[in-house]
Amino acid sequence: MGAGTEPRCDPSEGRVYLDHNATTPPAPEVAQAVQDALSQAWGNPSSTHPAGRKAKELISSARESLARMVGARPEDIVFTSGGTEANNMVIHTACRHFREGQPVAGHGRGTPHIVTSSVEHDSIRLPLEQLGKEGLAETTFVAVSLRSGRAEVDDVLAAIRPNTCLVSIMLANNETGVIMPILELSQRMQALNQRRAAEGLPRVLVHTDAAQMIGKGRVDVQELGVDYLTIVGHKFCGPRIGALYVRGPGSTAPLHPLLLGGGQERSFRPGTENTPMIAGLGQAAELVSKNWEAYEAHMRDVRDYLEARLEASFGKERIHFNSHFKGSKRLCNTSNFSILGPGLQGRRVLAHCKVLLASVGAACHSDKGDRPSPILLGCGIAPDVAQNALRLSVGRDTSRADVDLAVQDLVQAVAQLEQHPAP
């Protein structure tokens, strides 16, 4: 798994894939686990006969693997269809728990209020906006610091009101790679909640979406001190399902189901379990538990090599790194940059690439044309720079040779655009 000399391309297309923040290819061990479960553990996990028991054992084993990966107890893991469902479940739970709780001292019960950042994934932002339109919740979207690219703890705490029920801040941003100060936030929230309890105010729950961090850095829920943490399998070479960590589901931290049905997952997430995908997720978690430090070191080496090659190929004056914020830590694999110059919008550059497979930002925003990323604009990147942005995210198997091919491809694409500028 070292930096290597041979390019790691998609053999079917002869391409270099540098879009691992959008999705990762499944590890061979994961694909094998899915296949084995499909053929050998096809029974209904709720059935008591041998075929059902085998499926149930596989699910139990996967739950233990996920718990081990994030430092949790197996009973704190609830399987979901993916990160979007997990995030929606947390928002739904916090609002319902607030409405069903005691009136806020001196304020009546009121409308639940949630604090989040201005750079969250759409699976946080859109449900909150919808609840606002329906008058069911209020939300404060805290702007990130233009200096650090982070949602600063003081700004988050300043947004909390008597009727606040949830703070949800992602662990790392999917476009810039900036890592948010969740440990400090949860520590200060713990002290704040002690004061709120003395004043008769409801506890504020803390959630972090860890989709981008798992597999690229240390994630330990005991250390982070959060009530909820979202896990997304396809971001760490697993299948396209997810899970939600809940600190003592239904006891220490509330959890209400989005769906009603047959009682699976202790009725928190009913529906016959997707045994093959859960088995694959468990295998992906095992790989992360054993290898995350090696994955992180390798990806950081290749990412740093990429940025050095970009500067060497285009010149320091033509490369603007949108993901570099003084004093902020960032994901080991992510580089968001702009090649400066007219007509070099990120989408146009990628369209002229013959080898590189990458994106201009979040995959869920891929239909937004040449409009600059609102995430980058929110981080203080100038609009003319932001519209030229490219996000390259390396993976476990990306080599320096891959990087050489990708940068050569970018050089030819830019040359082609400059020779034939748009009218």
Side-chain angles (χ1 to χ4, degrees):
M1 189 193 55
T5 56
E6 291 301 315
R8 172 83 174 193
C9 303
D10 183 331
S12 65
E13 298 183 57
R15 300 290 189 94
V16 174
Y17 182 78
L18 296 183
D19 203 18
H20 289 82
N21 282 10
T23 199
T24 52
E29 300 93 331
V30 169
Q32 188 63 53
V34 172
Q35 184 177 332
D36 289 347
L38 274 169
S39 59
Q40 300 168 19
W42 45 265
N44 189 317
S46 297
S47 299
T48 56
H49 49 61
R53 287 201 302 272
K54 182 157 191 174
K56 189 169 185 177
E57 287 166 6
L58 211 56
I59 291 168
S60 177
S61 176
R63 197 185 309 278
E64 291 172 2
S65 295
L66 260 76
R68 192 157 42 242
M69 178 179 71
V70 297
R73 305 174 305 167
E75 57 265 36
D76 293 337
I77 300 295
V78 176
F79 292 112
T80 66
S81 62
T84 293
E85 182 185 345
N87 287 346
N88 276 259
M89 188 182 290
V90 171
I91 292 168
H92 165 85
T93 288
C95 290
R96 180 173 164 184
H97 183 67
F98 177 87
R99 288 192 296 268
E100 293 178 352
Q102 296 299 313
V104 178
H107 298 273
R109 186 167 293 165
T111 304
H113 172 247
I114 295 168
V115 178
T116 188
S117 84
S118 61
V119 298
E120 296 297 313
H121 190 268
D122 279 354
S123 58
I124 292 289
R125 181 178 63 84
L126 292 178
L128 291 175
E129 288 180 352
Q130 184 62 34
L131 286 170
K133 289 175 187 174
E134 296 173 1
L136 298 176
E138 302 165 346
T139 302
T140 299
F141 292 92
V142 175
V144 297
S145 163
L146 303 186
R147 181 186 60 80
S148 68
R150 310 191 314 174
E152 296 295 357
V153 174
D154 285 344
D155 296 333
V156 173
L157 294 178
I160 291 176
R161 307 172 185 170
N163 59 326
T164 301
C165 62
L166 175 70
V167 168
S168 178
I169 307 289
M170 60 182 13
L171 193 48
N173 185 263
N174 49 317
E175 291 196 32
T176 63
V178 169
I179 296 171
M180 303 293 176
I182 302 303
L183 173 58
E184 181 190 351
L185 174 64
S186 64
Q187 288 173 339
R188 294 185 57 186
M189 286 300 307
Q190 188 174 4
L192 176 63
N193 275 326
Q194 289 175 351
R195 294 196 298 272
R196 286 173 67 93
E199 297 168 10
L201 294 174
R203 174 178 163 216
V204 180
L205 300 162
V206 179
H207 166 246
T208 190
D209 181 345
Q212 292 296 339
M213 179 64 92
I214 292 175
K216 304 169 192 169
R218 177 176 167 80
V219 176
D220 185 302
V221 294
Q222 305 307 324
E223 182 179 291
L224 290 172
V226 294
D227 297 297
Y228 308 97
L229 182 138
T230 296
I231 300 166
V232 182
H234 73 101
K235 305 294 188 181
F236 56 97
C237 300
R240 221 156 262 156
I241 64 163
L244 180 65
Y245 158 78
V246 186
R247 186 181 299 280
S251 54
T252 305
L255 186 63
H256 295 292
L258 284 174
L259 308 171
L260 300 175
Q264 295 86 352
E265 290 297 287
R266 292 156 287 165
S267 292
F268 293 128
R269 207 291 182 179
T272 304
E273 299 92 336
N274 190 343
T275 307
M277 295 298 107
I278 290 173
L281 188 63
Q283 181 60 58
E286 283 294 318
L287 292 173
V288 168
S289 294
K290 293 173 184 173
N291 303 307
W292 73 264
E293 289 172 300
Y295 294 156
E296 183 181 28
H298 170 73
M299 286 188 274
R300 178 172 286 110
D301 173 76
V302 176
R303 190 273 315 275
D304 290 348
Y305 179 73
L306 165 66
E307 295 188 344
R309 293 291 300 130
L310 287 168
E311 287 190 339
S313 299
F314 291 100
K316 289 187 177 182
E317 69 285 350
R318 290 202 66 189
I319 293 289
H320 183 274
F321 289 110
N322 306 315
S323 48
H324 288 193
F325 292 90
K326 190 174 182 180
S328 291
K329 295 179 181 178
R330 58 183 177 130
L331 292 173
C332 60
N333 77 319
T334 306
S335 182
N336 191 308
F337 62 93
S338 297
I339 304 170
L340 304 181
L344 298 182
Q345 293 90 347
R347 192 174 304 280
R348 295 191 71 216
V349 172
L350 286 180
H352 284 76
C353 285
K354 298 178 173 64
V355 173
L356 174 63
L357 295 174
S359 65
V360 297
C364 47
H365 295 155
S366 60
D367 60 348
K368 299 289 170 62
D370 285 332
R371 280 180 287 170
S373 159
I375 300 297
L376 295 183
L377 296 178
C379 292
I381 306 299
D384 60 327
V385 175
Q387 71 176 359
N388 285 20
L390 295 168
R391 181 192 67 181
L392 270 53
S393 45
V394 307
R396 299 173 188 176
D397 295 314
T398 307
S399 69
R400 289 188 172 203
D402 288 330
V403 167
D404 289 335
L405 285 176
V407 173
Q408 289 168 18
D409 200 28
L410 284 170
V411 169
Q412 72 79 26
V414 168
Q416 192 175 356
L417 283 167
E418 290 178 334
Q419 287 169 10
H420 305 285

